[in-house]
Amino acid sequence: MKIYTLHTKQKLPISVNEAWEFLSDPKNLKTITPEYMGFNILSGADRGMYPGQLIQYIVTPVAGIKTKWVTEITHVKEGEYFVDEQRFGPYALWHHKHFIHPIEGGVEMEDIVDYKLPFGILGQLVHPLLVAPKLQEIFNYRRKKLTALFGEYSSQDVKPTTLKQDILN
């Protein structure tokens, strides 16, 4: 059983509250998903995120084949993180952790996705050719879209801190 991990980080020049407000609204997932994915929420996005929430989507990940995907929001710590897990869909396992870390001048968003493909060895053979590049493409799109929405984070915008030194006599 091969479990893969995708790990991404992105810094944005926004507050934790702004990041949380955007990311914890399930309707915004469509905004940060490439149009060709045919992403459509069927149910469960009528309120902000909470543990136990089920969200049903239709996605078209490959070759125009529509797939139903059901995720459950299993953990939520407001302003810090949430976890979604696939209950039904294209993966044998999908466990996606979303973290928001405050940093000077903004936030760092971190995604850690642990996933397993169906079809045993066949799934493992397809992973480097189709699945891994497709996931990377989707997360690159998200990065670009979030930068377009919220701006580019620049460490130059962060004012240097001054260190105080204690003088011992």
Side-chain angles (χ1 to χ4, degrees):
M1 174 169 84
K2 177 75 172 157
I3 296 178
Y4 302 95
T5 299
L6 173 69
H7 187 190
T8 66
K9 292 182 179 182
Q10 180 176 7
K11 295 178 181 178
L12 292 171
I14 59 176
S15 70
V16 168
N17 287 342
E18 288 173 292
W20 182 257
E21 186 176 309
F22 184 83
L23 293 173
S24 67
D25 183 343
K27 291 180 287 228
N28 288 329
L29 189 53
K30 182 175 179 129
T31 303
I32 58 173
T33 300
E35 285 187 37
Y36 71 82
M37 294 282 296
F39 185 88
N40 188 28
I41 298 173
L42 300 175
S43 67
D46 53 339
R47 60 181 72 187
M49 244 171 233
Y50 60 90
Q53 181 177 19
L54 288 177
I55 306 169
Q56 296 183 49
Y57 322 90
I58 293 288
V59 292
T60 311
V62 178
I65 300 168
K66 291 185 179 196
T67 303
K68 191 169 189 179
W69 192 334
V70 178
T71 58
E72 179 181 357
I73 305 302
T74 57
H75 300 79
V76 177
K77 186 165 185 188
E78 190 166 334
E80 292 185 32
Y81 68 86
F82 65 92
V83 178
D84 68 82
E85 296 181 25
Q86 175 190 284
R87 293 295 175 240
F88 178 82
Y91 293 89
L93 167 75
W94 179 271
H95 185 269
H96 185 177
K97 297 172 283 287
H98 309 253
F99 296 97
I100 300 171
H101 308 288
I103 58 172
E104 192 169 349
V107 296
E108 180 178 72
M109 296 181 351
E110 180 180 21
D111 288 277
I112 302 171
V113 182
D114 295 298
Y115 61 99
K116 180 182 182 299
L117 299 176
F119 310 119
I121 191 71
L122 181 60
Q124 290 180 37
L125 291 171
V126 171
H127 182 260
L129 303 172
L130 180 65
V131 179
K134 181 64 71 176
L135 286 174
Q136 194 62 52
E137 180 182 307
I138 291 166
F139 276 83
N140 286 341
Y141 178 88
R142 286 183 181 186
R143 174 181 297 279
K144 290 175 187 170
K145 190 67 173 181
L146 288 167
T147 298
L149 289 168
F150 298 111
E152 186 80 39
Y153 178 85
S154 172
S155 60
Q156 294 174 350
D157 295 339
V158 177
K159 294 178 176 58
T161 57
T162 54
L163 296 175
K164 292 184 179 180
Q165 294 183 355
D166 291 330
I167 300 173
L168 298 175
N169 291 334

